[in-house]
Amino acid sequence: MRTTRLRPRETNGTLWPKRAVEPNGYYLPDWELAVNATARGRNDVSALSALSDVSFAADNATARLIGLLPVVSMWHAYNIPLPALVSADPYGTLCTPLLDRDVAGDAVVELMRQARKAGAHALILRDVSLDGAAMKAFDEVLRTGGLRPRLLQSHVRAALDATRDADELLRDALGAKKLKELRRQRNRLAEHGDVHFEVARRPQETARAVEIFLTLEASGWKARRGTALMQDEGDANFIRRATVALAETGQCEIVSLHAGDTPVAAAIVLRHQDRAFYFKLGVDERFAKLSPGVQLTLDLTRHLCADPKIALADSTAAADHPMINPIWRERLAIGDMLIPLRRNDPFLPLIQTAMGLRKSVREPARQLVQFIRNRQEKPS
């Protein structure tokens, strides 16, 4: 199948970032370009792009970008040799396509046409928001063409209603007894120095803060598992490039918690439209008994709820995550959708069956791994 390589010019246009019908911090251009440049196992991404009709002004022909979906082949994504394109893994658990809010249906039609032109018989949209506006646009286009999407798998994950009062929200979520225990732990943390919450927003601040985050993340269980970003040069370069570039446009913050001069927890938060995305958390495990990750998340909750520009925060965490689920009590439905590109396509049941077999083989192993990880990621 032939598709277009993801290049900087394909991320230009007024779609980015304000016109998208549904936000996705992990498909922001500076993030996706950094992923594709150096992130381990996530390069060589192609792009399905939808352009508006060409207009002519002052003798210049222009076409506005109205839809973008980074993709890889089904072989690249799953080692399955069938003719489907799969939304590319953006080093984050959300692959909702970006569609222009005014012409979302037209964007979907063109993305599907581009997929057919590339030789695909189906699209697999993995980790999409099932109840979001982008998926509704796909539903409407498919229904008009006598087609329907097919759900391959789904789960729910934690989210924060940032329009609420933070103190009320935390009381409802955790209860007085748990909050009292967390205050006691914070007081013990203060024995190591004044406890304070910092937010890095400007590029220079972000460049310094990302090094703190990388060091903290590489000091704990993620390093022992081999998944800390600093353990791979390409991954470390990706996150350095992405965070600083997004800070230039106000789309990235790095939050951190300190006890005196010692950083005890740090996290990367992306911002797109009225939504925040809680990417990754790193903690100093020497302070594990004082729950630095939870303490940082409480401060982040207050920070987001106090920001009138943010309505919702997506944890982007696994289902049943032991740290975030008790704190952020809203839930987002996330799933993988199979999008047919033609009516009565004989490849479609083959693709669906192959994905079902893959799930049946992998699911028990995934559940075991998740159980082990949840024990490793106990609230800290």
Side-chain angles (χ1 to χ4, degrees):
M1 290 184 289
R2 297 183 62 188
T3 50
T4 303
R5 291 295 179 200
L6 186 65
R7 294 187 291 270
R9 67 177 179 82
E10 288 164 335
T11 63
N12 295 330
T14 57
L15 171 65
W16 306 91
K18 297 179 179 179
R19 297 186 59 86
V21 71
E22 184 178 352
N24 183 356
Y26 298 119
Y27 277 169
L28 288 170
D30 286 319
W31 182 271
E32 186 61 25
L33 288 169
V35 170
N36 194 48
T38 64
R40 173 176 47 181
R42 292 173 171 86
N43 46 19
D44 294 327
V45 173
S46 301
L48 301 177
S49 57
L51 300 176
S52 66
D53 292 335
V54 176
S55 62
F56 296 87
D59 297 325
N60 290 321
T62 61
R64 179 164 54 85
L65 183 67
I66 61 172
L68 188 73
L69 176 61
V71 293
V72 294
S73 69
M74 195 171 180
W75 174 256
H76 184 102
Y78 304 123
N79 289 330
I80 296 176
L82 287 172
L85 290 172
V86 182
S87 52
D89 177 359
Y91 223 126
T93 53
L94 189 66
C95 300
T96 299
L98 294 180
L99 310 172
D100 189 301
R101 63 173 179 264
D102 292 335
V103 285
D106 292 343
V108 170
V109 169
E110 180 60 16
L111 291 177
M112 291 174 62
R113 188 188 73 81
Q114 290 288 336
R116 287 193 295 269
K117 183 178 178 181
H121 288 250
L123 282 173
I124 297 175
L125 303 181
R126 51 182 173 181
D127 288 328
V128 294
S129 174
L130 296 178
D131 300 323
M135 198 61 236
K136 290 178 181 176
F138 272 91
D139 285 340
E140 291 174 5
V141 168
L142 291 170
R143 185 168 58 250
T144 300
L147 300 168
R148 63 177 180 85
R150 305 185 186 191
L151 181 65
L152 298 175
Q153 69 86 19
S154 67
H155 62 277
V156 295
R157 69 184 180 211
L160 169 69
D161 178 0
T163 65
R164 291 188 59 189
D165 175 79
D167 290 333
E168 178 186 4
L169 182 150
L170 292 172
R171 282 195 302 270
D172 290 346
L174 297 173
K177 183 177 180 180
K178 180 62 176 178
L179 286 173
K180 182 178 179 180
E181 171 63 15
L182 288 168
R183 285 193 296 271
R184 184 190 67 79
Q185 292 177 346
R186 196 178 185 96
N187 290 336
R188 287 189 58 198
L189 188 59
E191 295 172 5
H192 300 270
D194 177 54
V195 178
H196 56 283
F197 174 72
E198 294 184 2
V199 182
R201 296 186 180 90
R202 293 190 290 271
Q204 286 186 335
E205 296 173 341
T206 301
R208 291 191 294 270
V210 75
E211 298 304 324
I212 293 173
F213 164 81
L214 286 169
T215 300
L216 287 171
E217 190 197 34
S219 70
W221 63 265
K222 291 183 182 179
R224 294 191 294 273
R225 204 175 77 198
T227 60
L229 291 170
M230 190 179 276
Q231 291 177 290
D232 182 86
E233 183 179 2
D235 286 347
N237 288 339
F238 136 66
I239 200 63
R240 289 176 176 127
R241 170 179 167 175
T243 51
V244 172
L246 288 172
E248 292 273 6
T249 55
Q251 294 173 311
C252 177
E253 297 176 339
I254 299 181
V255 296
S256 55
L257 189 70
H258 300 251
D261 295 330
T262 304
V264 297
I268 296 171
V269 180
L270 305 185
R271 300 166 66 103
H272 185 198
Q273 297 180 355
D274 65 350
R275 194 164 297 185
F277 302 86
Y278 196 172
F279 173 54
K280 277 183 178 291
L281 170 69
V283 302
D284 187 333
E285 292 189 353
R286 294 175 300 171
F287 298 91
K289 292 183 178 180
L290 305 180
S291 304
V294 175
Q295 299 288 352
L296 177 65
T297 301
L298 297 184
D299 283 349
L300 175 61
T301 300
R302 297 184 182 100
H303 170 65
L304 294 174
C305 287
D307 189 339
K309 295 180 180 178
I310 298 297
L312 184 77
D314 182 349
S315 71
T316 67
D320 302 320
H321 191 280
M323 189 278 284
I324 197 67
N325 275 30
I327 304 172
W328 291 5
R329 293 299 184 99
E330 298 298 316
R331 295 293 180 263
L332 290 175
I334 303 295
D336 296 351
M337 298 296 300
L338 178 62
I339 307 297
L341 299 177
R342 302 170 179 83
R343 298 182 66 176
N344 302 317
D345 190 324
F347 276 103
L348 196 67
L350 294 176
I351 294 168
Q352 185 171 12
T353 299
M355 291 301 294
L357 289 172
R358 179 180 182 275
K359 180 181 177 182
S360 67
V361 170
R362 290 172 59 91
E363 187 62 18
R366 187 198 67 80
Q367 290 179 354
L368 177 60
V369 170
Q370 191 60 51
F371 173 76
I372 295 171
R373 288 181 180 178
N374 284 348
R375 290 181 64 86
Q376 292 175 324
E377 297 173 22
K378 59 182 181 293
S380 61

